[in-house]
Amino acid sequence: MNDMILLKQGEIVLKGLNKRSFEQKLLSNIRKRLNGLGNFDVYSVQSTVYVEPQDDGADVDEAFERLRKVFGVVALSRAAACEKDKDAIVACAKGYLAEQMRGARSFKVETKRSDKAFPMTSIQVSQYVGGELSEAFPDVEVDVHEPELTVHVEIRDYAAYVHAQPTPGAGGMPVGSNGRAVTLLSGGIDSPVSTYMIAKRGVKLIPVHFFSFPYTSELAKQKVLDLATLLTAYCGDMKVEIVPFTHIQEEIRAKCPEEYFTLVMRRFMMRIAARIAYRNGCKAIVTGENLGQVASQTMEAMACTQAVTDLPVLQPLIGMDKEEIVTVARRIGTFDTSILPYEDCCTVFTPRHPKTKPSVAELVEIEKALDVEGLVNEAVAGTERVRVSCFE
């Protein structure tokens, strides 16, 4: 039987004259996710994307798992196609959903008829198919209110389709449809979640990681690359920019008051992230900051760190509590890697009594002891780029 995948578009359906550009980006992302899984035909009609295997070598099981994490899709179903004929639909449902029918105690049929030229109404189709299935599977009761199994029939332009209950998709907007940004990726719990959340809004991301060897180990660096790899299941392939940060931190420790260490360090991070953003055509910087979580995330502190760039700073976690962030981290599969005991550069030279209510003027004065431009240039020039993908 012709087993295929139907994907329902999300917010794209609300777009106006530019809707087609969003659909094209979604189709492109879907095709990329199917690389290496065989030959598939991918096309969109009436706000539904059809993924049809073209030969027996196509891995539909793995394709379905990958497509569950494609932003822009709100629901997806394994389905079988048949002729737009009532008896053909019944035969398709009997064969394709036989296992589900035998395993259920109750069922009902729901029909959507996009092709209004079809001679039966949606209710008539549901009644006819439901009656035939009831005869074929007499041990399964009909329950139109709370069925254990819902048989879905869709009558569309090219064919009729039969499937069981759809699986929720990732939602959001297609990655790349809303521009590009850099995202500060540490080894903690928060930054992978913030990266995921901005990617869900259709942003193509370039992770930036600050690496302070030998104060942080190669294992800490690998941990971040592992996190980035996990995120590519949702974000698509990415290039991680690894910035050497040791010299900057040593200069800060030698020449700046201890209570300002973290603030000066974060201002350097923002400057470097902005440089990398401009170099890659990015329009924003994404951070995992959460208001009041640590001393450097007070309103005053964040104002000081953001003052060094004119790019928008996107903070998707700003109003979440830690439990909410952890819940998302577990759901997207980054939590277990994030809690591995390898420290990142943010824990190096942590002040005993950090300044919580600084002013921009104070930071500007303190940074006069540093060769800010020279240190930024050195770090940007030494950046290492590593391509990551979970599909290889």
Side-chain angles (χ1 to χ4, degrees):
M1 189 164 288
N2 185 16
D3 191 18
M4 60 184 299
I5 303 172
L6 303 181
L7 305 120
K8 305 296 183 179
Q9 297 175 14
E11 295 177 51
I12 296 175
V13 301
L14 304 176
K15 299 298 178 182
L17 297 177
N18 60 348
K19 176 181 176 181
R20 190 59 183 165
S21 65
F22 286 88
E23 285 186 335
Q24 290 299 323
K25 178 58 69 174
L26 176 60
L27 293 175
S28 174
N29 292 346
I30 288 171
R31 293 185 180 109
K32 288 177 182 177
R33 298 295 176 90
L34 296 174
N35 282 343
L37 299 182
N39 186 21
F40 291 87
D41 187 19
V42 180
Y43 59 94
S44 176
V45 180
Q46 294 180 322
S47 300
T48 297
V49 177
Y50 299 78
V51 178
E52 296 187 13
Q54 298 300 293
D55 53 55
D56 293 337
D59 189 344
V60 182
D61 292 336
E62 178 61 23
F64 189 85
E65 289 304 309
R66 290 189 184 184
L67 296 180
R68 289 176 60 187
K69 299 178 180 179
V70 172
F71 289 130
V73 175
V74 294
L76 61 166
S77 306
R78 293 280 289 266
C82 64
E83 294 180 24
K84 291 189 289 184
D85 172 82
K86 63 178 185 179
D87 293 320
I89 294 170
V90 169
C92 183
K94 287 180 181 178
Y96 189 67
L97 298 178
E99 184 176 346
Q100 289 95 320
M101 286 293 296
R102 293 190 186 99
R105 289 172 294 183
S106 60
F107 83 102
K108 73 172 181 178
V109 178
E110 287 188 359
T111 302
K112 291 184 179 180
R113 184 178 60 113
S114 300
D115 179 6
K116 301 307 179 184
F118 190 75
M120 300 171 68
T121 67
S122 296
I123 293 176
Q124 288 172 335
V125 173
S126 294
Q127 290 174 338
Y128 181 76
V129 174
E132 294 295 313
L133 288 177
S134 184
E135 288 189 13
F137 301 93
D139 294 334
V140 187
E141 295 182 357
V142 175
D143 184 347
V144 297
H145 300 294
E146 295 182 355
E148 191 172 304
L149 171 67
T150 299
V151 175
H152 293 265
V153 177
E154 299 188 35
I155 301 173
R156 295 180 166 273
D157 284 355
Y158 302 131
Y161 303 89
V162 174
H163 60 85
Q165 189 66 27
T167 298
M173 300 289 290
V175 170
S177 63
N178 281 327
R180 297 161 64 89
V182 297
T183 180
L184 305 190
L185 187 63
S186 72
I189 296 170
D190 296 351
S191 60
V193 174
S194 65
T195 300
Y196 160 86
M197 292 177 68
I198 291 298
K200 188 174 182 177
R201 300 311 308 153
V203 179
K204 181 68 176 176
L205 292 165
I206 298 175
V208 177
H209 176 64
F210 296 91
F211 183 52
S212 295
F213 185 82
Y215 301 107
T216 55
S217 68
E218 287 291 335
L219 288 174
K221 174 181 172 181
Q222 186 58 50
K223 172 184 172 180
V224 170
L225 292 176
D226 291 342
L227 285 169
T229 301
L230 291 170
L231 287 167
T232 61
Y234 295 94
C235 304
D237 293 359
M238 297 189 293
K239 289 184 179 179
V240 183
E241 305 242 2
I242 301 173
V243 180
F245 207 55
T246 307
H247 189 200
I248 289 174
Q249 289 192 291
E250 289 177 338
E251 285 289 290
I252 293 170
R253 181 179 62 172
K255 298 177 181 178
C256 298
E258 181 184 348
E259 64 266 32
Y260 291 92
F261 281 2
T262 302
L263 292 165
V264 176
M265 177 190 73
R266 290 194 65 80
R267 280 165 64 90
F268 269 98
M269 287 179 172
M270 297 300 282
R271 292 184 179 102
I272 294 166
R275 287 278 195 93
I276 293 172
Y278 289 129
R279 186 173 66 193
N280 288 279
C282 299
K283 305 300 183 184
I285 299 170
V286 181
T287 75
E289 290 169 305
N290 178 258
L291 185 61
Q293 182 171 240
V294 294
S296 63
Q297 293 176 14
T298 64
M299 282 192 269
E300 295 88 348
M302 287 189 287
C304 289
T305 57
Q306 293 175 25
V308 299
T309 179
D310 57 1
L311 287 173
V313 179
L314 308 180
Q315 300 164 303
L317 310 186
I318 198 70
M320 298 175 69
D321 62 37
K322 198 67 176 184
E323 184 177 346
E324 292 172 317
I325 297 169
V326 167
T327 297
V328 178
R330 290 185 186 279
R331 176 164 54 81
I332 66 176
T334 57
F335 180 78
D336 289 342
T337 301
S338 291
I339 62 174
L340 292 175
Y342 308 125
E343 296 181 333
D344 60 41
C345 71
C346 294
T347 60
V348 177
F349 311 140
T350 301
R352 290 166 293 180
H353 304 289
K355 189 80 171 178
T356 58
K357 294 185 178 181
S359 70
V360 174
E362 289 175 330
L363 271 299
V364 170
E365 187 64 28
I366 288 168
E367 288 175 346
K368 288 181 179 179
L370 302 168
D371 178 12
V372 173
E373 189 68 15
L375 289 168
V376 169
N377 288 339
E378 177 188 326
V380 172
T383 298
E384 174 191 5
R385 297 170 189 83
V386 180
R387 180 182 176 275
V388 293
S389 174
C390 68
F391 307 119
E392 296 178 351

